[in-house]
Amino acid sequence: MNNTPTIDYSWDFKGIKKEGVHTLGHYPATMVAPMQLRLLEKWKTNDEQIMLDPFMGSGTALIEAQKLGLQTIGIDINPYAVLLSQVKTHNYQQISWKTVIKRITKKLNSDEYARPLWNFEKIEKWFRPDIIESLSHVRNVIASEKDRWVRKFLWICMSDIIYTHSNDRTSTFKLHVKEPPQIERISNNVTEAFLNLAAKKQKYLNNEFLPKCTIYSGDAKKICFKLPAESVDIICSSPPYGENATTVTYGQASILFLKWIDPRDLEDSDNLLENFSKIDSKSLGGNSASDSEYSSKALNDFLSSINVSKQRKVRRFFSDYWLISKELARLLKPSGVLLYTVGNRKVDDIRQPLDKITVEMFESLGLEEVEQHTRNIFSKKMPSQLSRVHDSKPVKSMHKENILVFRKS
């Protein structure tokens, strides 16, 4: 093990902004595309290799791997992440977007699709009545499209409109209702904004032959268990840094989008849309996870430094983290590489040593750490402040990440 991380500030990618297909949709804490491309360029050996991202999120690593000619496999439990990644990696060469935009414009200018009004639990809490009417019109028009892949893209466009027209205070990933004056100031330009966005974003869709991308929806532990041993050459991902409820609530950040999307165009085999928190509670380290699968000195030292009431949540996360780590080690071919970007979040204002425990886990599974870099976080969207510790000031979010590179011996 290399005990001294290589501090290489060229991995910061300061000032980098999302471009092209990466601008589709809204998803929290996405990876930095040029960083993943650099990692993959450095560690891939040929174009026949297969890359797996078990926590694909918005699909950043999948897209960058496709650019390099790699076949890709992506997994995520969040149905919105699955939809977004499907759209970003799909070949839309056969679609005439000029015809599509003209057709949906005509439909939106007609009253034929204005009804029925869409409804779900607490819809009036999160949307103004006139916004509900406008979004229902857009929803009915999208649902009327015959081509499933056209609908999938249009749902992503609609999710952007929902993001800017809901009553949710988007400064945090958790759902919080805006103050009444803020809600009143929301401009109802839903139809115009949707059409403009669809016309603009379709230009970024892939319209040429790309290597195969297979996307799975569900728990990464269960899906990886079903994949053949030693079947992937590269694993490139940024795993959760803790259970969703106390780090990034990916489910809450996308649930309002999912509530509007036609279920026939979503992959949701576990009924994760039953309530507003089920995605997060079923994610890594969630309520159903065991708290006894993994133990180590580094983990126990950290647990002894935090409040007893929080120890079980941390244990649950690392138990799940260990189970998926075992599966990833099994899936990796001999001499294959694992590229992980991890961050050490705070619990009780104490840094959780995720990087150290990750190295500990994979080395026990036969993977050797061959490289490590520390980077400053500039362009990865993270909340600047997290929850309070008792009655003290809010805890500042992490401002550094570690890039860990392992090779299977």
Side-chain angles (χ1 to χ4, degrees):
M1 172 182 170
N2 178 10
N3 292 319
T4 305
T6 303
I7 300 177
D8 182 355
Y9 291 105
S10 65
W11 289 96
D12 289 353
F13 291 91
K14 185 177 182 180
I16 291 292
K17 295 182 179 180
K18 291 183 183 180
E19 296 179 347
V21 71
H22 292 297
T23 65
L24 290 179
H26 269 89
Y27 203 77
T30 56
M31 292 196 289
V32 180
M35 187 180 87
Q36 303 308 314
L37 181 63
R38 182 188 291 182
L39 277 171
L40 291 166
E41 282 178 327
K42 180 173 182 178
W43 292 99
K44 82 156 197 165
T45 56
N46 62 71
D47 292 344
E48 303 301 317
Q49 290 185 305
I50 298 173
M51 189 218 78
L52 165 68
D53 185 346
F55 307 104
M56 68 183 176
S58 65
T60 302
L62 300 180
I63 295 157
E64 299 308 306
Q66 281 187 315
K67 290 178 182 178
L68 298 175
L70 300 175
Q71 296 184 50
T72 52
I73 301 170
I75 305 171
D76 210 284
I77 196 170
N78 188 335
Y80 183 72
V82 172
L83 176 66
L84 186 54
S85 296
Q86 286 176 334
V87 170
K88 287 181 175 182
T89 58
H90 184 67
N91 179 358
Y92 276 95
Q93 189 174 12
Q94 303 301 319
I95 304 297
S96 169
W97 287 109
K98 184 177 180 180
T99 302
V100 171
I101 300 301
K102 184 178 179 180
R103 183 170 62 243
I104 63 174
T105 300
K106 184 178 179 180
K107 290 179 180 179
L108 285 168
N109 287 328
S110 164
D111 291 334
E112 181 182 353
Y113 297 93
R115 294 290 187 273
L117 294 182
W118 188 236
N119 188 37
F120 56 82
E121 183 184 4
K122 298 181 181 179
I123 189 172
E124 293 184 352
K125 174 181 178 179
W126 299 109
F127 299 92
R128 236 173 39 205
D130 61 309
I131 301 288
I132 293 173
E133 288 189 25
S134 298
L135 286 173
S136 295
H137 196 172
V138 172
R139 185 185 190 277
N140 294 337
V141 167
I142 296 174
S144 72
E145 287 294 303
K146 295 180 180 179
D147 189 301
R148 186 170 183 242
W149 285 101
V150 168
R151 293 198 306 270
K152 283 176 177 285
F153 166 68
L154 294 177
W155 291 129
I156 296 301
C157 294
M158 184 179 177
S159 73
D160 273 5
I161 306 305
I162 291 168
Y163 182 82
T164 54
H165 289 75
S166 77
N167 298 344
D168 178 36
R169 188 182 67 199
T170 55
S171 57
T172 64
F173 299 138
K174 289 187 177 182
L175 290 169
H176 292 286
V177 177
K178 294 175 180 174
E179 295 297 324
Q182 293 177 300
I183 294 173
E184 291 173 10
R185 287 196 296 268
I186 298 172
S187 175
N188 187 354
N189 62 340
V190 167
T191 301
E192 178 185 1
F194 170 73
L195 287 172
N196 288 340
L197 195 70
K200 176 183 177 181
K201 297 292 187 179
Q202 58 84 17
K203 299 174 185 176
Y204 302 139
L205 296 173
N206 293 321
N207 56 6
E208 58 186 5
F209 176 77
L210 291 169
K212 182 180 179 182
C213 180
T214 302
I215 292 177
Y216 295 98
S217 176
D219 186 328
K221 302 187 302 299
K222 296 178 181 178
I223 292 168
C224 286
F225 181 76
K226 297 177 182 179
L227 298 178
E230 300 183 353
S231 59
V232 298
D233 303 276
I234 302 172
I235 297 171
C236 180
S237 194
S238 181
Y241 302 161
E243 80 284 351
N244 287 9
T246 57
T247 51
V248 178
T249 49
Y250 292 96
Q252 281 194 44
S254 51
I255 191 64
L256 291 181
F257 310 154
L258 291 165
K259 287 290 187 178
W260 281 93
I261 298 172
D262 192 328
R264 63 180 169 155
D265 294 326
L266 294 172
E267 314 293 336
D268 179 24
S269 58
D270 294 324
N271 299 316
L272 296 174
L273 308 185
E274 288 179 347
N275 59 57
F276 284 72
S277 60
K278 192 170 182 180
I279 295 173
D280 294 315
S281 66
K282 290 291 185 179
S283 296
L284 207 70
N287 297 339
S288 60
S290 167
D291 61 358
S292 59
E293 293 291 339
Y294 184 76
S295 181
S296 73
K297 184 179 185 303
L299 176 57
N300 291 334
D301 286 347
F302 172 67
L303 289 170
S304 65
S305 70
I306 64 173
N307 191 289
V308 174
S309 65
K310 298 180 181 179
Q311 291 181 8
R312 186 162 184 259
K313 282 186 177 181
V314 173
R315 279 196 180 279
R316 281 204 310 245
F317 170 74
F318 279 106
S319 288
D320 260 4
Y321 194 70
W322 168 243
L323 293 176
I324 186 63
S325 297
K326 288 199 296 183
E327 288 304 316
L328 296 180
R330 183 184 67 85
L331 293 179
L332 202 58
K333 292 179 181 179
S335 299
V337 293
L338 185 145
L339 315 171
Y340 246 23
T341 304
V342 301
N344 295 337
R345 59 124 175 195
K346 283 187 175 182
V347 181
D348 278 349
D349 210 18
I350 299 171
R351 289 288 173 193
Q352 173 180 280
L354 180 60
D355 55 346
K356 184 177 180 180
I357 295 173
T358 300
V359 171
E360 193 177 64
M361 284 186 178
F362 281 118
E363 288 194 334
S364 74
L365 293 167
L367 276 67
E368 178 189 4
E369 186 191 27
V370 294
E371 199 168 281
Q372 184 176 147
H373 302 280
T374 299
R375 65 178 297 268
N376 291 302
I377 300 175
F378 290 106
S379 55
K380 187 172 185 177
K381 184 184 175 185
M382 298 285 286
S384 60
Q385 293 180 334
L386 300 174
S387 57
R388 296 174 184 271
V389 178
H390 303 301
D391 296 325
S392 63
K393 296 179 180 179
V395 177
K396 289 185 178 180
S397 179
M398 67 194 78
H399 58 279
K400 291 184 182 293
E401 290 176 320
N402 291 309
I403 303 167
L404 309 177
V405 181
F406 301 89
R407 187 184 295 280
K408 187 172 182 177
S409 58

